[in-house]
Amino acid sequence: MVELVEIASADDPRLADYRDLRDVELRKALEAEHGLFLAEGEKVVRRAVEAGYDARSFLMAPRWLDGLADVLDRSDAPCYVIDEALAEEVTGFHVHRGALASLRRRPLPEVDDVLAGARSVLVLEDLVDHTNVGAILRSGAALGFDAVLLAPRCADPLYRRAIKVAMGAVFSLPWTRLPDWYDALPDLGARGFTTVALTLAPDAVPIEEAVAGVDKVALVLGSEGHGLSPRWEQSADRRAIIPMSAGIDSLNVAAATAVACYVTARR
Amino acid sequence: MVELVEIASADDPRLADYRDLRDVELRKALEAEHGLFLAEGEKVVRRAVEAGYDARSFLMAPRWLDGLADVLDRSDAPCYVIDEALAEEVTGFHVHRGALASLRRRPLPEVDDVLAGARSVLVLEDLVDHTNVGAILRSGAALGFDAVLLAPRCADPLYRRAIKVAMGAVFSLPWTRLPDWYDALPDLGARGFTTVALTLAPDAVPIEEAVAGVDKVALVLGSEGHGLSPRWEQSADRRAIIPMSAGIDSLNVAAATAVACYVTARR
């Protein structure tokens, strides 16, 4: 049974987990140090708890208590009840969806566990934008992918913004970080996956052709600015492109991934 | 030939066009009132000017002057030269890509002009997120669409964030606003377009089936939260869905649009 704690001051030290949510660099450091992540909005908070993450605490305005009553009832963590102006003072922005939770991270699963039974896998190299990471997880889950692997430097799927954009897919789709960057794609090859890198490289073939008839596929995506590293581009089994109109730079990585997932799921 | 004007104070009234860029509501009002829009980043500023938009002024740190020298040389507008800390004080955030321009809006073209010769058209109802509008324009341009029509209340493609995400597509892809919301889709039908609404409605068919063999297609997209209005959903000729995994809410509208454009372009 949750303990409701009324909070009267934005300086209350018990709110430390919720401070300055707009400051990405500060938050990354704070969340790593304390092994926590934040969920925002009733639906996301619910999904995080239902996915088995332990809450450190909840923070919300009184009007959100009823909707989350069953979730709160099953938790031993304190729920800080705060008016919305005060919440804004603490977090640094207007909390549109009202409810926040600070949850404990868990050790990431082994690659073997994430890949068990998987036939379609996304592999993200050094994406920096949390919105893109979240959107890609959401598309992967919706379009029939079974797992996601992240390079060591890829942006964190448990960052608040990524979770929000992923609409819960970060809790439902198995994912983990690759321990080794350099040999990541050959290692996937050794596990029976054909690695298909999305790239504008001159030898890239249309994505439909690259995945046709392939059983286990790992779709490999690079960063927003510079795409894949030369190592990953060259160590992939195949290079593929989404055919585009003349004169266009490229698709946004999240849009390209959605198309590639759709095509790959129907191979 | 541009006039270079060194600026020594963040309060300089000549910088009015560039103030408080993070305040979306304020900016919407200010930009509408003065008939202006902002372009951000060397590439986007260049594309806006090359697309024929008149600059009211430019604002940049000294190190961006060289890269845009040819663009500035062809303009009569003043270029305010400002150090980066001062620029941050004026705009309210760190201007990563350095150069800004304030440009004059032009009267929107007639629907007839935008549709002339078009075979694949996107129609956006009440999208509210500028990032989504920008991403959709970018995907449409990349994946072979010819034009975009916006409902009267759809978010502005010339808002700074939309332009940035669209990567210039807002300048290359013909677009305008529909004068009439209620009969927008029947009107497109009268012009020979088959209107295909993306929706989760129970009678929606897979998108591939909905567009198969159709000549002129108008793909119709609803808002992020509630999708299409009942009027638009029901007045479309066909309702289509992107087939998704069981238990998934839906795709993000920009991801769904990318998939739908890809499929439609290959009909």
Side-chain angles (χ1 to χ4, degrees), chain A residues 13 16-18 28 30 58 63 67 71 85 105 107 112 124 129 137 151-152 186 190 193 233 235 241 258 266:
Chain A
D17 285 4
Y18 302 96
K28 286 201 277 198
L30 183 152
F58 302 88
R63 67 183 171 113
V71 172
R105 287 176 187 253
D112 277 339
L124 312 186
D129 184 312
L137 265 74
F193 284 89
E233 186 164 288
S235 61
I241 191 171
R266 305 163 74 81

Side-chain angles (χ1 to χ4, degrees), chain A residues 22 43 47 129 131 135 138-145 161 165 167 169 172 206-208 242-245 247-256 258-259 262-263 266, chain B residues 22 43 47 129 131 135 138-145 161 165 167 169 172 206-208 242-245 247-256 258-259 262-263 266:
Chain A
R22 283 181 97 145
K43 199 187 256 186
R47 286 186 178 177
D129 184 312
T131 303
R138 185 175 175 190
S139 292
L143 295 170
F145 272 63
R161 176 82 190 144
V165 173
M167 294 286 288
S172 60
I207 179 71
E208 261 186 67
I242 315 244
M244 277 177 277
S245 304
I248 302 292
D249 289 304
S250 70
L251 286 160
N252 162 280
V253 65
V259 172
Y262 177 84
V263 171
R266 305 163 74 81
Chain B
R22 284 180 97 145
K43 200 186 255 187
R47 285 186 179 177
D129 184 313
T131 302
R138 184 175 174 190
S139 292
L143 295 170
F145 273 62
R161 176 81 191 146
V165 173
M167 292 288 287
S172 61
I207 178 73
E208 261 186 68
I242 316 245
M244 277 177 277
S245 303
I248 302 292
D249 288 304
S250 69
L251 285 161
N252 161 280
V253 65
V259 171
Y262 177 83
V263 171
R266 304 162 75 80

Side-chain angles (χ1 to χ4, degrees), chain B residues 29-206:
Chain B
L30 183 152
E31 296 183 11
E33 184 184 335
H34 295 284
L36 65 87
F37 69 96
L38 281 206
E40 179 184 10
E42 179 182 332
K43 200 186 255 187
V44 174
V45 168
R46 175 180 299 280
R47 285 186 179 177
V49 172
E50 285 175 357
Y53 287 97
D54 271 342
R56 288 160 59 98
S57 64
F58 302 89
L59 178 145
M60 65 192 73
R63 67 184 171 113
W64 300 102
L65 288 169
D66 277 357
L68 281 167
D70 58 316
V71 172
L72 297 175
D73 273 351
R74 292 196 304 270
S75 175
D76 293 325
C79 177
Y80 302 123
V81 182
I82 185 170
D83 79 38
E84 301 195 8
L86 218 54
E88 192 168 340
E89 213 178 307
V90 174
T91 60
F93 65 94
H94 184 67
V95 183
H96 300 279
R97 302 187 189 181
L100 291 165
S102 171
L103 300 127
R104 285 187 186 87
R105 287 175 187 253
R106 297 189 295 210
L108 291 175
E110 297 295 323
V111 172
D112 277 339
D113 294 332
V114 166
L115 292 181
R119 189 171 167 259
S120 304
V121 176
L122 286 167
V123 190
L124 312 186
E125 201 181 12
D126 295 344
L127 278 82
V128 297
D129 184 313
H130 293 108
T131 302
N132 283 335
V133 171
I136 287 170
L137 264 74
R138 184 175 174 190
S139 292
L143 295 170
F145 273 62
D146 307 306
V148 179
L149 300 174
L150 310 175
R153 292 190 302 184
C154 181
D156 178 14
L158 288 178
Y159 193 76
R160 179 178 56 91
R161 176 81 191 146
I163 296 178
K164 194 169 161 179
V165 173
M167 292 288 287
V170 65
F171 305 129
S172 61
L173 195 61
W175 63 271
T176 195
R177 286 211 185 257
L178 293 158
D180 173 37
W181 166 78
Y182 190 80
D183 279 325
L185 304 192
D187 285 351
L188 276 165
R191 293 164 191 264
F193 284 88
T194 299
T195 51
V196 177
L198 270 199
T199 159
L200 304 174
D203 66 343
V205 299

